[in-house]
Amino acid sequence: MSANETTLATAGFGETGPAADVVAQRPKIFEMTAVAEEAVLRPKEEGRWPHPLRAAMAARIAALNGFGDLAVRYASEAGDFAGLANPARDGVADGLGPVLAFMDRVAVETRNVVATDISALQDAGVADADIVRLSELNAFLAYQIRVVAGLRLMSEGKP
C-alpha cells in the first residue's frame, strides 16, 4: 500500500500543491505510515480483533474526531461490523460495549483515561495483548488524523 492509497488519498490531495510537495520531500514518512496502517488493520497476529472489526473501530474513531471522509474509507472495509462505525451505537448488543466505550474514550478524552478504564476491559474478559492491540489502533488513528489535518492546513488553510 502506498502513501497515495492511505493518508493522502483520504485527505483528498492532488498531485500538485503544498501537500504534494511535502510528500515529494518526505516520501519515506508516508511509506512508513502506509506500513503502520497495514500493521494495525491487518496484523499477522490479530488476536480477538479481525480486520473488519478493526476497520469499523477505525471508522468510528475518525468519525468521533470529525474526519468523515476517513471514516467512510475505513467503514468500507468493515463488512458485517459496519454498523459499529457509527458512534451512536454502543456495541452492547454485539458484546462489545466495554470495548467501544474504551475506544471512544481514548479517541476523544485521551487525557482522562485511567487505570479503571483498562480494568473494565479486563473485567469484560479482554486479554492484555488485545488491550494493547486496541491501543495501537487508537494511537495510529490519532497520528493519521493529525497528519491529515496538517496537510489540509497546508493546502486549504483548514483541517
Side-chain angles (χ1 to χ4, degrees):
M1 198 176 288
S2 75
N4 288 329
E5 294 170 331
T6 59
T7 303
L8 294 181
T10 299
F13 296 110
E15 296 189 21
T16 61
D21 293 344
V22 168
V23 175
Q25 293 170 12
R26 304 276 193 273
K28 195 70 172 163
I29 292 170
F30 294 96
E31 290 168 18
M32 291 170 63
T33 296
V35 169
E37 180 179 62
E38 187 70 15
V40 298
L41 286 172
R42 295 176 186 84
K44 292 176 185 168
E45 305 256 345
E46 64 183 20
R48 187 171 169 179
W49 321 120
H51 169 69
L53 179 54
R54 287 168 186 262
M57 288 190 279
R60 185 181 183 95
I61 293 165
L64 285 166
N65 283 281
F67 284 75
D69 48 356
L70 185 58
V72 168
R73 185 168 75 80
Y74 284 125
S76 72
E77 300 177 29
D80 293 340
F81 295 102
L84 296 175
N86 180 352
R89 261 187 81 187
D90 64 9
V92 171
D94 305 284
L96 294 168
V99 171
L100 295 184
F102 173 78
M103 293 300 278
D104 292 356
R105 184 168 176 120
V106 173
V108 296
E109 299 179 56
T110 309
R111 74 174 76 179
N112 297 324
V113 174
V114 293
T116 55
D117 294 312
I118 302 295
S119 299
L121 288 173
Q122 292 168 326
D123 292 345
V126 179
D128 290 347
D130 286 324
I131 294 170
V132 170
R133 290 177 179 106
L134 292 173
S135 299
E136 290 170 342
L137 178 62
N138 228 313
F140 174 76
L141 263 292
Y143 160 77
Q144 186 178 49
I145 286 166
R146 283 166 181 76
V147 169
V148 170
L151 292 170
R152 285 183 182 164
L153 281 170
M154 283 185 202
S155 293
E156 305 165 9
K158 61 182 177 183

